[in-house]
């Protein structure tokens, strides 16, 4: 987008700036106008429906006359049907559903209506009127006044007319059938008449309520509504009273039906008056709404157009306030680019806005440029003088450069010989430095080996100490074992004494058992129990003696094993003693070797330190020799360069002479350019 806009000038872009706002305002205006137009079309459709309803309900009331005896002919009805049909077709309100209109057209071909056809015609006409009210938005009208008038037109008045038709049917039945011979109404017709009159009275009250609600709402036609309400109230009350007097209060029916039809037909006129009044008020309300909506639409359009005009005025004013300074700035920039600018004239002050800041920057540029031009004029004058002096200096420099070139060649030859000597000395020093580096590397290797040996000796010392400690622990443990064996032997001896004592006790017990057996035998039967006890004791003594023998045998065997173990333990104690002494001797030798290795390591460290110092000195000498060699080479190159530069200087001095002439010519040209600018 920015690339596209960059192709247009700032003036055009300024003009395009309010375009989105104007387009948005126009779109909003269009939406508002369309919304108002939709509401206006809604109301206009209502008005069209009202105009269409007038001939329909006029036809309805005329069709109601067909129920009168002797008025069955349709001569006066058909023209009204044709007029209403034409109006409906012109309104095009039933274009979406023409079935009912087509069905209603058939009544134009009927020359005379019987009662059933009349009732069907009235029903079709009322249904057609409701369709017109539906398709023309009258039934959907949201206004309070319009709603209650619509209710009177479409529902209340047709209800009265429907009951009037019922009353006419009752009269026809009473005077065209066998009932005409009776002086009173039949019970069925009397009940129907009572119900119809009650419906008419109730509907009249509902009409009064609708008028009252319309009057209670704010309406510009309050006077007309009040008048219509009073007329409807008076006429309805009179009509209902007359109907009650004719059908209910009278004990006999009239001899002729003419008076009854005349009385009943008054209701048709009253209902028609009420309906026409409501249609007139409804039409005025709809027309007022259309005019109000049209006025609001026109006012909105005028306000939108006025805002567009005011916006355009401000756009032009703002455009001029931006465009005029831009034109002045652009003309000043063009003047500067032409090379014949008047630096004494500045751009006017346009305030603290962006253009004012640009103008201030250009004025500051003009001021600086004015100073630069003045200084340039002075510098050009000085340059002309300097170019003449430069020409004289160039000749002097050329002579001095020739002398410098010859001296530089002699110095270069001497420095080349000195460089050769430095190269030979540098080779010897480099070789010695390499040998010292090799010795240093070998000493590092020996130092690493000694360090490894010291680490190994340290590990060996630790192992020797650990072995000695383990041997001491083992010696102590074995000695403890030997002591334990001695204690076992002494305990075994004590156990042997106890076993001997038990053996002696067992023998004595056996002897006592024998004596007890003898004494029991002497006692006879009385000693039988004691003899048994003596026998069991003898058996127990034998078992004890046998067990003691086994224990003694095990003790002797254990004693032999303990003696053998004591001998082995003693031998182990002697061996561990030798191991401990050997570990101590080994540890002493390792400590002595460790001391010798420490002394050798210190000596090697001193040698390494001396070698490092010698290596650093050799490297310093080598570096110095390299730097001296390089310096001599640089000096040779410098002398050669100096010689070449001296020769080049001699050549350039000639060019410098020509340049001085060119500078003079350029200074003259600059003077011509600067004089074209008018300065202070």
């Amino acid at each position: 987008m920015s690339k596209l806009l960059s192709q247009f000038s700032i003036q055009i872009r300024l003009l395009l700036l309010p375009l989105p706002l104007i387009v948005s305002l126009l779109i909003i205006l269009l939406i508002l106008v369309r919304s108002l137009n939709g509401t206006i079309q809604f109301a206009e459709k209502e008005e069209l429906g009202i105009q269409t309803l007038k001939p329909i309900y006029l036809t309805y009331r005329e069709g109601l006359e067909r129920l009168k005896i002797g008025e069955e002919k349709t001569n006066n009805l058909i023209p009204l049907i044709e007029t209403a049909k034409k109006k409906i077709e012109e309104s095009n309100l039933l274009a979406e559903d023409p079935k009912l209109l087509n069905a209603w057209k058939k009544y134009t071909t009927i020359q005379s209506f019987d009662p059933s056809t009349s009732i069907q015609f009235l029903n079709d006409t009322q249904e057609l009127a409701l369709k017109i009210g539906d398709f023309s938005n009258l039934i959907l009208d949201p206004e309070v006044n319009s709603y209650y008038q619509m209710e009177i037109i479409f529902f209340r008045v047709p209800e009265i007319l429907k009951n009037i038709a019922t009353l006419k049917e009752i009269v026809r039945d009473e005077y065209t059938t066998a009932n005409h011979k009776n002086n009173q109404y039949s019970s069925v017709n009397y009940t129907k008449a009572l119900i119809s009159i009650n419906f008419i009275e109730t509907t009249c009250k509902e009409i009064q309520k609708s008028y009252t609600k319309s009057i209670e709402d704010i309406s510009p036609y309050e006077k007309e509504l009040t008048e219509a309400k009073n007329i409807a109230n008076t006429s309805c009350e009179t009509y209902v009273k007359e109907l009650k007097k004719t059908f209910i209060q009278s004990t006999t029916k009239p001899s002729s039906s003419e008076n009854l039809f005349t009385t009943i037909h008054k209701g048709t006129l009253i209902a028609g008056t009420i309906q026409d009044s409501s249609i007139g008020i409804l039409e005025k309300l709809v027309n007022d709404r259309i005019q109000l909506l049209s006025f609001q639409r026109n006012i909105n359009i005028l306000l939108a157009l006025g805002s567009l005009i005011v916006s355009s005025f401000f756009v032009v004013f703002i455009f001029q306030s931006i465009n005029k300074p831009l034109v002045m700035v652009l003309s000043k920039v063009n003047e500067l680019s032409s090379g014949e600018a008047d630096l004494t004239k500045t751009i006017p002050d346009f305030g603290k806005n962006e253009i004012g800041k640009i103008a201030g920057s250009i004025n500051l540029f003009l001021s600086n440029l004015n100073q630069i031009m003045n200084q340039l004029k002075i510098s050009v004058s000085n340059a002309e003088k300097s170019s003449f002096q430069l020409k004289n200096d160039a000749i002097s420099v050329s002579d001095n450069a020739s002398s410098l070139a010859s001296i530089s060649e002699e110095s270069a030859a001497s420095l080349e010989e000195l460089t050769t000597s430095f190269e030979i000395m540098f080779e010897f020093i480099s070789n010695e430095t390499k040998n010292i580096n090799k010795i240093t590397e070998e000493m590092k290797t020996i130092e690493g080996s000694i360090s490894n040996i010291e680490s190994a000796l340290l590990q060996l010392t630790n192992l020797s100490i650990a072995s000695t400690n383990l041997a001491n622990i083992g010696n102590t443990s074995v000695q403890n074992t030997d002591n334990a064996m001695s204690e076992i032997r002494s305990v075994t001896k004590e156990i042997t004494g106890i076993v001997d004592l038990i053996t002696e006790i067992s023998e004595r017990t056996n002897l006592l058992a024998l004596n007890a057996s003898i004494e029991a035998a002497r006692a006879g039967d009385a000693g039988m129990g004691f003899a048994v006890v003596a026998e069991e004791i003898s058996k127990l003594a034998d078992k004890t003696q046998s067990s003691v023998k086994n224990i003694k045998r095990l003790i002797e065997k254990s004693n032999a094993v303990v003696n053998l173990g004591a001998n082995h333990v003693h031998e182990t104690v002697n061996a561990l003693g030798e191991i401990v002494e050997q570990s101590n001797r080994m540890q002493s030798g390792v400590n002595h070797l460790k001391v010798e290795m420490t002394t050798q390591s210190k000596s090697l460290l001193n040698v390494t330190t001396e070698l490092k110092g010698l290596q650093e000195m050799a490297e310093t000498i080598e570096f110095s020799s390299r730097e001296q060699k390089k310096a001599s080479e640089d000096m040779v190159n410098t002398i050669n360069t100096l010689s070449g530069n001296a020769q080049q200087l001699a050549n350039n001095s000639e060019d410098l002479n020509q340049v001085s002439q060119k500078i003079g010519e350029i200074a003259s040209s600059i003077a011509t350019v600067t004089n074209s600018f008018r300065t202070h």
Side-chain angles (χ1 to χ4, degrees):
M1 180 62 73
S2 59
K3 186 175 180 181
L4 176 64
L5 291 176
S6 63
Q7 299 177 3
F8 299 98
S9 64
I10 294 177
Q11 289 88 345
I12 295 176
R13 278 186 270 179
L14 286 173
L15 291 174
L16 292 175
L17 182 62
L19 186 60
L21 295 176
I22 294 173
V23 171
S24 300
L25 185 60
L26 290 175
I27 291 173
I28 293 171
L29 176 61
L30 180 61
I31 293 171
L32 182 61
V33 170
R34 288 187 63 184
S35 176
L36 290 174
N37 284 338
T39 308
I40 292 171
Q41 289 174 1
F42 185 92
E44 288 177 345
K45 203 168 185 181
E46 285 184 302
E47 184 182 20
L48 183 61
I50 292 170
Q51 299 299 328
T52 308
L53 282 175
K54 290 179 181 180
I56 292 176
Y57 277 117
L58 184 61
T59 305
Y60 185 94
R61 292 196 290 270
E62 182 62 31
L64 194 59
E65 288 288 327
R66 302 311 104 197
L67 289 172
K68 184 179 179 182
I69 299 173
E71 296 291 336
E72 291 84 0
K73 298 291 184 180
T74 58
N75 296 332
N76 298 329
L77 180 62
I78 292 175
L80 295 177
I81 295 175
E82 293 289 346
T83 302
K85 181 174 68 67
K86 183 178 180 182
K87 190 67 177 177
I88 293 171
E89 291 175 348
E90 289 176 355
S91 67
N92 202 29
L93 292 173
L94 296 180
E96 298 178 2
D97 190 9
K99 294 180 181 179
L100 189 59
L101 180 61
N102 295 330
W104 196 56
K105 292 178 183 179
K106 68 181 181 181
Y107 294 107
T108 58
T109 61
I110 300 174
Q111 300 297 321
S112 178
F113 282 178
D114 56 19
S116 61
T117 304
S118 297
I119 296 300
Q120 184 63 39
F121 172 75
L122 294 176
N123 291 334
D124 291 343
T125 304
Q126 173 62 12
E127 188 176 353
L128 183 63
L130 290 174
K131 276 290 184 185
I132 294 295
D134 188 17
F135 283 108
S136 63
N137 304 321
L138 285 169
I139 296 178
L140 300 175
D141 196 304
E143 297 291 334
V144 175
N145 282 322
S146 303
Y147 173 78
Y148 287 114
Q149 299 309 309
M150 177 274 300
E151 184 183 36
I152 293 171
I153 295 167
F154 284 102
F155 301 104
R156 302 306 177 199
V157 172
E159 185 68 24
I160 293 174
L161 296 175
K162 180 180 178 182
N163 285 283
I164 289 173
T166 302
L167 291 174
K168 288 186 176 183
E169 282 186 285
I170 293 171
V171 174
R172 288 185 67 91
D173 185 65
E174 286 292 331
Y175 288 94
T176 57
T177 62
N179 292 330
H180 75 282
K181 296 178 180 180
N182 299 328
N183 293 327
Q184 295 180 344
Y185 299 106
S186 65
S187 59
V188 175
N189 289 331
Y190 179 81
T191 304
K192 288 182 180 180
L194 185 62
I195 293 171
S196 297
I197 293 169
N198 185 51
F199 268 118
I200 292 172
E201 186 177 12
T202 303
T203 305
C204 287
K205 291 179 181 179
E206 293 296 327
I207 291 173
Q208 292 299 311
K209 290 180 181 179
S210 297
Y211 276 126
T212 301
K213 290 179 181 179
S214 294
I215 293 170
E216 289 174 354
D217 189 51
I218 299 174
S219 175
Y221 301 103
E222 184 177 352
K223 183 178 179 181
E224 288 85 344
L225 289 169
T226 304
E227 184 178 355
K229 176 185 176 183
N230 294 332
I231 293 172
N233 186 29
T234 304
S235 58
C236 281
E237 286 181 356
T238 303
Y239 180 63
V240 170
K241 287 179 181 179
E242 193 170 354
L243 288 177
K244 288 181 177 180
K245 181 179 179 181
T246 303
F247 285 95
I248 299 173
Q249 297 174 2
S250 178
T251 57
T252 59
K253 64 182 180 181
S255 58
S256 173
S257 63
E258 186 66 27
N259 294 331
L260 288 175
F261 279 117
T262 301
T263 301
I264 294 170
H265 189 65
K266 290 179 182 179
T268 305
L269 299 177
I270 293 170
T273 302
I274 295 172
Q275 193 175 46
D276 291 341
S277 178
S278 294
I279 289 175
I281 294 172
L282 180 60
E283 186 175 8
K284 290 179 180 179
L285 290 172
V286 173
N287 287 331
D288 290 345
R289 191 184 311 157
I290 293 172
Q291 292 177 4
L292 179 61
L293 292 172
S294 300
F295 177 75
Q296 290 177 351
R297 179 189 62 187
N298 296 333
I299 289 296
N300 290 331
I301 293 172
L302 291 175
L303 288 175
L305 293 176
S307 64
L308 284 175
I309 293 171
V310 173
S311 300
S312 301
F313 173 75
F314 277 107
V315 167
V316 172
F317 177 75
I318 294 170
F319 174 75
Q320 289 179 351
S321 66
I322 297 173
N323 186 53
K324 184 177 178 181
L326 282 176
V327 171
M328 294 184 69
V329 171
L330 183 60
S331 63
K332 193 64 179 179
V333 173
N334 290 332
E335 182 183 347
L336 287 172
S337 62
S338 65
E340 295 180 356
D342 186 358
L343 301 180
T344 60
K345 293 182 179 180
T346 59
I347 301 173
D349 186 12
F350 295 115
K352 296 182 179 180
N353 52 45
E354 287 77 4
I355 298 177
K357 291 178 181 179
I358 293 172
S361 300
I362 292 175
N363 288 335
L364 181 61
F365 170 73
L366 291 174
S367 177
N368 294 332
L369 185 61
N370 186 24
Q371 295 177 5
I372 291 170
M373 286 298 174
N374 289 329
Q375 292 176 1
L376 190 58
K377 289 178 181 179
I378 297 171
S379 299
V380 167
S381 178
N382 294 331
E384 289 177 346
K385 296 177 181 178
S386 299
S387 64
F388 179 74
Q389 183 66 33
L390 184 62
K391 181 178 180 181
N392 295 330
D393 293 341
I395 296 172
S396 176
V397 169
S398 178
D399 296 336
N400 293 330
S402 299
S403 300
L404 182 62
S406 60
I407 295 170
S408 299
E409 290 176 357
E410 294 175 359
S411 299
S414 299
L415 285 172
E416 286 179 356
E417 294 177 358
L418 182 61
T419 301
T420 304
S421 300
F422 275 125
E423 288 178 354
I424 296 171
M425 184 176 65
F426 179 72
E427 289 179 359
F428 285 111
I429 292 172
S430 298
N431 293 330
E432 292 299 325
T433 302
K434 291 178 181 178
N435 293 329
I436 291 171
N437 289 331
K438 289 180 180 179
I439 293 171
T440 302
E441 292 176 357
E442 293 295 330
M443 292 302 294
K444 288 181 180 179
T445 303
I446 294 171
E447 185 178 358
S449 299
I450 291 173
S451 177
N452 293 332
I453 293 171
E454 287 180 349
S455 299
L457 286 174
L458 181 62
Q459 293 178 359
L460 183 61
T461 301
N462 294 331
L463 292 173
S464 176
I465 292 170
S467 299
T468 302
N469 293 332
L470 291 173
N472 289 329
I473 293 170
N475 190 16
T476 302
S477 178
V478 171
Q479 288 178 358
N480 293 332
T481 305
D482 191 14
N483 294 331
M485 289 292 184
S486 298
E487 291 178 359
I488 291 170
R489 281 197 298 271
S490 62
V491 170
T492 303
K493 289 179 180 181
E494 292 178 359
I495 293 171
T496 302
I498 293 169
V499 169
D500 292 338
L501 179 60
I502 293 170
T503 302
E504 185 179 355
I505 292 170
S506 175
E507 290 175 353
R508 288 182 180 182
T509 302
N510 198 2
L511 183 62
L512 289 173
L514 181 62
N515 291 329
S517 298
I518 294 171
E519 291 296 329
R522 286 178 183 177
D525 294 334
M528 287 296 291
F530 188 73
V532 173
V533 172
E535 186 179 359
E536 291 297 325
I537 291 172
S538 178
K539 291 179 180 179
L540 182 61
D542 292 338
K543 288 182 180 180
T544 302
Q545 189 174 6
S546 177
S547 298
V548 167
K549 288 180 180 180
N550 291 331
I551 292 169
K552 189 174 182 180
R553 186 174 64 255
L554 291 174
I555 290 171
E556 290 176 354
K557 186 176 180 180
S558 175
N559 192 20
V561 173
V562 168
N563 290 329
L564 182 61
N567 293 331
H568 288 303
V569 168
H570 185 70
E571 292 176 358
T572 303
V573 169
N574 295 330
L576 285 173
E578 290 296 327
I579 290 171
V580 170
E581 291 178 359
Q582 188 67 27
S583 296
N584 290 329
R585 288 193 296 270
M586 183 183 296
Q587 185 175 0
S588 177
V590 168
N591 290 332
H592 181 70
L593 181 60
K594 186 177 179 182
V595 171
E596 292 296 328
M597 291 302 298
T598 301
T599 303
Q600 187 176 1
S601 177
K602 290 180 179 178
S603 300
L604 183 62
L605 181 62
N606 293 330
V607 173
T608 302
T609 303
E610 294 296 329
L611 281 174
K612 285 182 178 179
L614 184 61
Q615 182 181 5
E616 291 176 356
M617 186 180 295
E619 289 176 351
T620 302
I621 294 171
E622 181 182 4
F623 179 75
S624 299
S625 299
R626 186 183 294 108
E627 290 298 321
Q628 288 179 357
K629 178 184 175 184
K630 184 177 180 182
S632 63
E633 291 175 350
D634 291 341
M635 287 177 67
V636 171
N637 294 330
T638 302
I639 294 298
N640 291 329
T641 303
L642 183 61
S643 178
N645 290 338
Q647 187 63 38
Q648 185 69 30
L649 184 60
N651 295 330
N652 291 339
S653 61
E654 295 295 331
D655 296 335
L656 187 60
N657 189 13
Q658 296 177 1
V659 168
S660 64
Q661 292 178 359
K662 286 285 186 183
I663 290 173
E665 295 175 359
I666 292 170
S668 298
S669 300
I670 294 173
T672 302
V673 173
T674 55
N675 289 330
S676 64
F677 288 92
R678 188 180 301 172
T679 60
H680 293 291

